[in-house]
Amino acid sequence: MGNLLKVLTREIENYPSFFLDFENAQATEGEREVWNQVNAVLQDSESILTGLQAYKGAGQEIRDAIQNPNDMTLQERAWNSVCPLVIKLKKFYSFSLRLEEALRSLLTSLTCPPLTPTQHLEREQALAKQFAEILHFTLRFDELKMRIPAIQNDFSYYRRTISRNRINNMNLDIENEVNNEMANRMSLFYAEATPMLKTLSTATTNFVSENKTLPLENTTDCLSTMASVCKVMLETPEYSSRFNSEDTLLFCMRVMVGVIILYDHVHPNGAFNKSSKIDMKGCIKVLKDQPADTVEGVHTPPVIADLIQPFEDPLP
């Protein structure tokens, strides 16, 4: 079936196993409309990551201003340093909303009847690849965000200063860019340890609850099948050797972790229940079998801890 091939003759019914060509899948005519919509979002993802990676913060300026509350020069310097950063943070937050819409479009396409989720993945490989790319971006963004405590410090200073100046009836032009409602939403977003992952988890949960005529299994089976696809590609040298780039291995690991987390949020019993259609022990074993320096870059600490905790005992 094109680039999506069965790779195990001993396929287990609960754990479908496929090879999905994450490197070369191309959109068919039937996928083109949704693919174009999602691609318009994904093409900005690298610039978002570059911007986040370059985020330096205004820690020194803020400290100087706080320690010298009567020095208006230092107050102005801190404010002028923080405002451009807040605009940048708004850009990141706004991108999360675009990403949420892109995910909903993909879920709609990959779960709609009469095809099963597996059939969708077989026939719409380019959309499956975009779904994987969203998950890959999400974990990369959150990994970077967790290493930048300045983000919350800068934004807290901004909100305190805005509130103080509003009391003093000062006209602040930046409120045209980031008004109080926007600031509240951004505050909730950046308060999360993994804000992009939280956005996708909430979006997936909302997708299920809003589409009441769509069986829950259509969504959870899409996620569990994707997890199985990644697990097989990682544990089978014959297939992982087909990748042109070693980065695709890291890509597969991030995607596998991402879909497991989404499944855990959406399925009533979670991913770690015995009834789960995800081979959790197999997935954890695959992660543990990877070189330490490779796995280190896959998750943020809370994600890896949450994933491995139920399997701390040696795997059989």
Side-chain angles (χ1 to χ4, degrees):
M1 298 238 181
N3 290 326
L4 192 60
L5 308 171
K6 287 185 179 181
V7 296
L8 290 185
T9 56
R10 59 184 185 281
E11 181 171 318
I12 302 173
E13 184 180 354
N14 285 341
Y15 306 138
S17 305
F18 302 96
F19 179 83
L20 178 58
D21 193 345
F22 283 138
E23 294 179 331
N24 303 304
Q26 299 294 315
T28 62
E29 192 57 37
E31 298 170 87
R32 183 66 59 185
E33 182 178 354
V34 173
W35 188 92
N36 285 339
Q37 293 173 2
V38 176
N39 187 59
V41 177
L42 285 174
Q43 66 185 6
D44 294 333
S45 62
E46 285 301 321
S47 66
I48 292 294
L49 291 174
T50 300
L52 180 60
Q53 199 161 18
Y55 191 98
K56 298 301 181 185
Q60 187 59 54
E61 292 87 347
I62 291 172
R63 283 191 294 274
D64 290 343
I66 291 174
Q67 291 169 4
N68 301 277
N70 297 321
D71 189 325
M72 297 312 296
T73 300
L74 293 178
Q75 304 305 311
E76 185 175 346
R77 181 182 301 165
W79 180 247
N80 290 338
S81 297
V82 165
C83 285
L85 295 174
V86 170
I87 299 301
K88 182 178 287 190
L89 293 177
K90 180 190 175 185
K91 179 182 178 182
F92 300 157
Y93 170 71
S94 297
F95 185 77
S96 77
L97 302 181
R98 295 174 61 202
L99 203 68
E100 180 179 353
E101 284 302 310
L103 177 68
R104 293 172 67 88
S105 295
L106 289 173
L107 286 175
T108 299
S109 295
L110 295 172
T111 62
C112 64
L115 299 182
T116 66
T118 297
Q119 289 171 330
H120 276 296
L121 291 174
E122 289 177 334
R123 301 181 189 188
E124 299 163 18
Q125 300 168 49
L127 298 187
K129 180 174 180 284
Q130 286 185 319
F131 183 28
E133 287 170 342
I134 286 177
L135 292 166
H136 185 242
F137 163 83
T138 294
L139 292 190
R140 289 173 68 197
F141 181 95
D142 287 345
E143 287 163 12
L144 288 172
K145 186 266 181 182
M146 289 194 69
R147 299 179 189 143
I148 311 175
I151 287 177
Q152 285 178 271
N153 295 335
D154 293 345
F155 199 67
S156 294
Y157 178 82
Y158 167 78
R159 299 202 71 190
R160 290 197 306 271
T161 305
I162 280 283
S163 298
R164 184 170 64 247
N165 291 342
R166 193 181 291 121
I167 291 173
N168 296 332
N169 294 318
M170 291 180 63
N171 183 25
L172 300 171
D173 291 339
I174 193 172
E175 286 200 275
N176 295 327
E177 288 277 352
V178 183
N179 60 29
N180 192 52
E181 181 183 354
M182 173 62 75
N184 287 337
R185 295 202 302 266
M186 288 171 61
S187 182
L188 290 173
F189 177 77
Y190 287 111
E192 295 287 342
T194 53
M196 284 291 178
L197 193 55
K198 174 66 174 178
T199 296
L200 294 197
S201 297
T202 301
T204 306
T205 302
N206 290 343
F207 173 81
V208 170
S209 62
E210 291 167 9
N211 291 274
K212 299 186 185 302
T213 59
L214 185 71
L216 171 64
E217 290 74 17
N218 284 38
T219 302
T220 55
D221 285 358
C222 177
L223 300 176
S224 62
T225 300
M226 184 72 86
S228 182
V229 165
C230 294
K231 180 181 79 72
V232 170
M233 290 195 292
L234 288 167
E235 70 184 1
T236 311
E238 178 184 350
Y239 298 101
S240 59
S241 64
R242 293 183 182 181
F243 300 142
N244 294 321
S245 170
E246 290 186 2
D247 290 342
T248 309
L249 288 173
L250 183 58
F251 180 92
C252 286
M253 282 187 275
R254 282 199 176 101
V255 173
M256 184 177 73
V257 170
V259 290
I260 288 172
I261 293 167
L262 292 186
Y263 184 100
D264 195 49
H265 276 81
V266 173
H267 199 285
N269 297 325
F272 299 95
N273 189 275
K274 289 182 179 180
S275 64
S276 171
K277 289 189 176 181
I278 296 179
D279 177 11
M280 287 303 305
K281 287 189 176 182
C283 291
I284 297 300
K285 186 176 188 304
V286 164
L287 289 175
K288 288 187 171 183
D289 286 347
Q290 300 302 315
D293 57 341
T294 302
V295 178
E296 217 170 78
V298 176
H299 343 267
T300 54
V303 173
I304 186 75
D306 290 347
L307 195 57
I308 291 182
Q309 185 60 44
F311 297 97
E312 280 299 321
D313 294 332
L315 292 167

